[in-house]
Amino acid sequence: MMTYKVNMLPAKLQREGLIDVKRLVLISAATLILALSMGGYCAFLINYTFMKNDLQDTTARLDELAPLVSRVEQMRKERTELEAALKEYEEIIQNQKSWSVLLDDLSNIIPIDAWLVDLAILNRPVERKTSPDGAPASTNEADSQNKAGSTAGDKEKKTAGLPHPNTITLKGYSRTVSSVGVFIMNLNYLPYFEDVKLNRISLDANKGYSFEITTTLKDEV
């Protein structure tokens, strides 16, 4: 005997045995999107918390390292100053060696009846010769260029530590005038000087002839 099942509900309420696939897909998709959004937001909050903690730790470490960085910068500055002082000291030592050789040569060339009582090493401006009025323009231009180059060189010497000496004044006595002349001639033979001038010579009743000589040093000395 066959049994019939009759559903008297309206069509809108007849859900039994029916599956709305489209609605199910939409609900599943919305649920998945919401779950992914919530998961991403939670991951963002976790990463943000970790990054915030790392930033705080890094800031604290930087504050701790600030005195050390300051000491390192101070040490670097002191090292630079010490290197500059060492370089200047080496230049002074080298100049002392050059001066000692020069003094030895002076003692070897001075005549036996003459002696020095004063030696002054100075830095004086060098007198430059002016060309005559009728000189060509090219000569004047060359002189001006040489003057500009020498002025720049003088500035470089002044800025590089102590001023470079360029003049030596010798004062002494001699028994005879000829010995003074021999001494001047021997000074011209030395490789240190490019100009030797006798400033004065006078007779001293007790010590002989008093003389004063000025010499101009070459640039490489």
Side-chain angles (χ1 to χ4, degrees):
M1 185 176 180
M2 297 180 63
T3 303
Y4 295 95
K5 188 176 181 180
V6 179
N7 192 348
M8 301 300 292
L9 295 172
K12 293 182 179 181
L13 299 177
Q14 294 179 6
R15 300 297 183 184
E16 185 178 354
L18 297 177
I19 299 175
D20 193 346
V21 178
K22 184 177 180 180
R23 183 180 180 185
L24 181 61
V25 170
L26 291 175
I27 293 174
S28 299
T31 304
L32 180 61
I33 293 173
L34 182 60
L36 292 175
S37 300
M38 293 297 295
Y41 181 70
C42 292
F44 170 75
L45 290 179
I46 294 173
N47 290 332
Y48 174 76
T49 304
F50 285 156
M51 291 177 64
K52 185 177 181 181
N53 294 334
D54 291 341
L55 181 60
Q56 291 177 354
D57 295 341
T58 303
T59 304
R61 291 186 62 184
L62 288 177
D63 293 338
E64 294 176 356
L65 293 176
L68 180 60
V69 173
S70 178
R71 288 197 296 269
V72 171
E73 293 294 336
Q74 184 66 24
M75 292 174 61
R76 182 180 299 176
K77 182 179 179 181
E78 292 178 355
R79 177 182 176 183
T80 303
E81 293 177 354
L82 289 175
E83 289 178 350
L86 179 60
K87 183 178 180 181
E88 186 172 353
Y89 176 75
E90 291 177 351
E91 292 178 355
I92 292 175
I93 295 298
Q94 185 65 31
N95 291 334
Q96 286 182 349
K97 293 180 180 179
S98 301
W99 293 124
S100 63
V101 175
L102 187 148
L103 294 176
D104 290 339
D105 291 340
L106 288 179
S107 63
N108 292 330
I109 66 169
I110 191 169
I112 193 171
D113 61 342
W115 64 96
L116 297 176
V117 296
D118 184 50
L119 186 148
I121 301 174
L122 308 171
N123 179 273
R124 292 179 177 176
V126 179
E127 296 182 358
R128 304 193 179 278
K129 298 179 179 180
T130 58
S131 58
D133 297 337
S138 59
T139 304
N140 294 332
E141 292 178 358
D143 292 340
S144 62
Q145 292 178 358
N146 294 332
K147 184 176 181 180
S150 61
T151 304
D154 294 339
K155 290 182 179 178
E156 290 178 358
K157 289 179 181 179
K158 290 181 180 179
T159 55
L162 298 176
H164 186 71
N166 58 3
T167 304
I168 294 181
T169 300
L170 306 170
K171 297 180 181 180
Y173 292 92
S174 175
R175 296 300 182 187
T176 59
V177 177
S178 59
S179 295
V180 177
V182 171
F183 184 48
I184 294 175
M185 181 182 62
N186 292 337
L187 288 174
N188 282 292
Y189 289 151
L190 291 179
Y192 313 109
F193 311 117
E194 60 183 0
D195 188 16
V196 180
K197 295 180 179 179
L198 177 63
N199 295 334
R200 63 174 180 81
I201 182 171
S202 59
L203 180 61
D204 189 324
N206 297 324
K207 298 181 179 180
Y209 291 93
S210 173
F211 63 87
E212 178 180 324
I213 301 173
T214 300
T215 63
T216 302
L217 291 171
K218 294 183 179 179
D219 292 337
E220 61 269 12
V221 177

